[in-house]
Amino acid sequence: MRTEDLIAQLSRDLAPVRRGAAERRLAAGAGLGAVISLIVLLLWFGFRPDLVPAAMTAMFWIKLAYPLSLAAAAFLLLDRLGRPAGRGGALWWSLAVSVVIAAGMGVVQLAMAPAADRMGLWLGHSALQCPFRILALAAPVFLGLVWAFRRLAPTRLTLAGFFAGVMAGATAATVYALACTEGAPAFLATWYTLGIAGAGVIGGLLGSRLLRW
Amino acid sequence: MRETEDRLRALMLRGMGGDAAAHSELLRDLAVLVRAFYGRRLGSGAADLEDLVQETLIAIHTRRITYRPGEPLTPWVFAIARYKLIDHFRRRGRRITEPLEAALFVTEAGGQEASAAASDLERLLAQLPEKQRSAIRSVKLAGLSVTEAAAASGQSESAIKVSVHRGLRSLAARVRRSADRAD
């Protein structure tokens, strides 16, 4: 095909592009994935049976706020990394700050607890299952982000994949917190973070293949 | 160069508003820009040059939501062109170290930036031994294959590869050092 013809074809039926289109696209992909994750959660676990009384406790909201803060930071990073030659700038730090605060809360909790209780507090009753559940719930969100990237232009594919994984894991962890009955900050800081980081690593490994354009 | 950037940016904005005629004109102008960019690196007679130009136009069109109005347009265009070029090399099996390649592919935006970058590059290359400098010019900047560069300079292919590798490593170290100093 001649380039002149290609240009004519591309310009046919030209749709306007509104401001914030990239952000909306990312949000749509992640949002749709989150809805699917929520449905999966309800079918798999259902909401935690004590949802209403739990919602009166601070810890319930902390369990939502922590992964949500990571998801928000990852979203802002993806908005940049999804553009040609995009750089994250100081946004990396906001992720680290969230993790450090959660870890700090966990350490304080364990330090203040009687020594005999520490292991129990830290492991809860679902320590090893939690990261894997988060990974499973992250899959639809990650696929939604991969869909979103079909209109984006990342030039650092592994990094973009990693933060897509982090955003997927963090969104999944937020959803999971609606079913999870664990209450210890130390648990949250360890096992939720592990699930989110694991999603990031998998995303990074898949990034160069799935995000190529 | 500056008026080109301004003119192209205006066309891009009108195209994003839905003006198909402006969008066509933009793509035609970007085709010229991008063709020259690849021509300098692949040789203007290269067989897949026009394919690459068309691929790049498609990418610019399909992913135009990643351009932020108000920001310079030509760096955005050339970032896409660099990505497509690296991908082109990758598909043909050439080993690439991406960050360094991106540094060596001189930014073409804006006359002042381009000549500053070009003179930076010249300055860096001038610090290398002649053998490494000419190997890098042939293989990395003029886009000759290792075989062609070896034939042109009368050296063996492995000598060319070693020169390029050592030269790039040395350049990378110098760029890192001067970047550390600049921070």
Side-chain angles (χ1 to χ4, degrees):
Chain A
M1 176 190 262
R2 284 173 34 226
T3 303
E4 196 48 51
D5 296 334
L6 172 68
I7 291 175
Q9 189 176 70
L10 292 177
S11 306
R12 206 175 305 149
D13 306 324
L14 186 70
V17 171
R18 288 181 351 252
R19 284 187 181 256
E23 289 83 352
R24 272 195 305 278
R25 175 120 183 156
L26 276 171
L32 181 59
V35 166
I36 294 174
S37 287
L38 184 60
I39 293 171
V40 168
L41 181 88
L42 292 178
L43 294 174
W44 191 1
F45 299 109
F47 287 129
R48 55 188 296 182
D50 58 343
L51 186 64
V52 173
M56 309 291 179
T57 66
M59 195 55 207
F60 177 80
W61 298 102
I62 293 172
K63 281 171 66 187
L64 290 177
Y66 171 57
L68 213 52
S69 71
L70 294 177
F75 175 81
L76 293 174
L77 274 165
L78 286 178
D79 186 36
R80 296 192 189 191
L81 291 174
R83 299 171 199 263
R87 325 206 70 236
L91 279 173
W92 314 122
W93 293 108
S94 61
L95 281 157
V97 162
S98 281
V99 172
V100 164
I101 291 178
M105 287 179 62
V107 164
V108 164
Q109 183 208 15
L110 291 185
M112 293 195 336
D117 295 347
R118 282 177 193 156
M119 208 53 168
L121 282 171
W122 188 42
L123 294 177
H125 50 261
S126 58
L128 293 183
Q129 298 155 310
C130 169
F132 290 105
R133 291 171 179 176
I134 288 176
L135 277 178
L137 292 169
V141 185
F142 185 74
L143 291 177
L145 288 170
V146 170
W147 168 85
F149 266 83
R150 286 163 60 86
R151 286 290 178 272
L152 300 180
T155 50
R156 302 163 79 180
L157 299 183
T158 304
L159 212 52
F162 173 77
F163 284 106
V166 166
M167 185 177 177
T171 308
T174 312
V175 166
Y176 182 63
L178 299 173
C180 164
T181 49
E182 303 280 357
F187 185 96
L188 179 73
T190 312
W191 308 107
Y192 277 51
T193 310
L194 213 54
I196 294 170
V201 167
I202 293 175
L205 292 172
L206 295 177
S208 62
R209 217 153 312 195
L210 293 180
L211 301 180
R212 179 153 287 139
W213 48 286
Chain B
M1 258 305 160
R2 177 57 175 284
E3 57 168 47
T4 310
E5 159 70 27
D6 290 343
R7 192 171 53 81
L8 291 175
R9 204 192 299 193
L11 286 173
M12 177 62 149
L13 292 178
R14 281 166 52 198
M16 284 170 95
D19 183 344
H23 191 64
S24 293
E25 195 183 328
L26 172 74
L27 290 180
R28 250 170 296 168
D29 290 346
L30 291 183
V32 171
L33 222 60
V34 152
R35 197 176 291 119
F37 176 88
Y38 292 137
R40 275 190 286 276
R41 287 155 182 79
L42 299 177
S44 47
D48 20 14
L49 180 66
E50 202 57 25
D51 283 346
L52 200 47
V53 169
Q54 291 189 3
E55 255 188 67
T56 308
L57 289 180
I58 291 172
I60 287 170
H61 172 82
T62 314
R63 293 159 203 270
R64 64 195 189 279
I65 67 174
T66 62
Y67 169 67
R68 268 194 246 257
E71 293 195 351
L73 180 68
T74 38
W76 178 84
V77 171
F78 285 115
I80 292 179
R82 274 198 297 276
Y83 172 86
K84 282 291 175 185
L85 184 62
I86 289 171
D87 204 48
H88 175 80
F89 285 147
R90 183 192 55 84
R91 273 178 282 151
R92 278 149 116 247
R94 291 194 188 179
R95 272 199 58 227
I96 297 280
T97 52
E98 202 203 301
L100 185 55
E101 289 292 342
L104 287 181
F105 291 154
V106 175
T107 56
E108 318 234 339
Q112 215 180 9
E113 272 183 46
S115 49
S119 64
D120 281 346
L121 187 58
E122 282 308 316
R123 212 175 9 94
L124 284 172
L125 283 176
Q127 294 171 35
L128 293 177
E130 170 59 37
K131 221 163 86 160
Q132 293 176 8
R133 183 167 60 239
S134 72
I136 290 181
R137 275 201 216 280
S138 313
V139 175
K140 293 299 179 189
L141 295 181
L144 296 177
S145 71
V146 172
T147 316
E148 290 162 350
S153 64
Q155 297 171 56
S156 70
E157 287 191 22
S158 51
I160 294 283
K161 285 183 199 171
V162 165
S163 293
V164 168
H165 176 70
R166 285 185 184 159
L168 286 181
R169 246 195 8 226
S170 177
L171 283 182
R174 284 171 212 273
V175 167
R176 247 195 311 273
R177 275 200 300 274
S178 68
D180 289 344
R181 274 200 302 273
D183 289 341

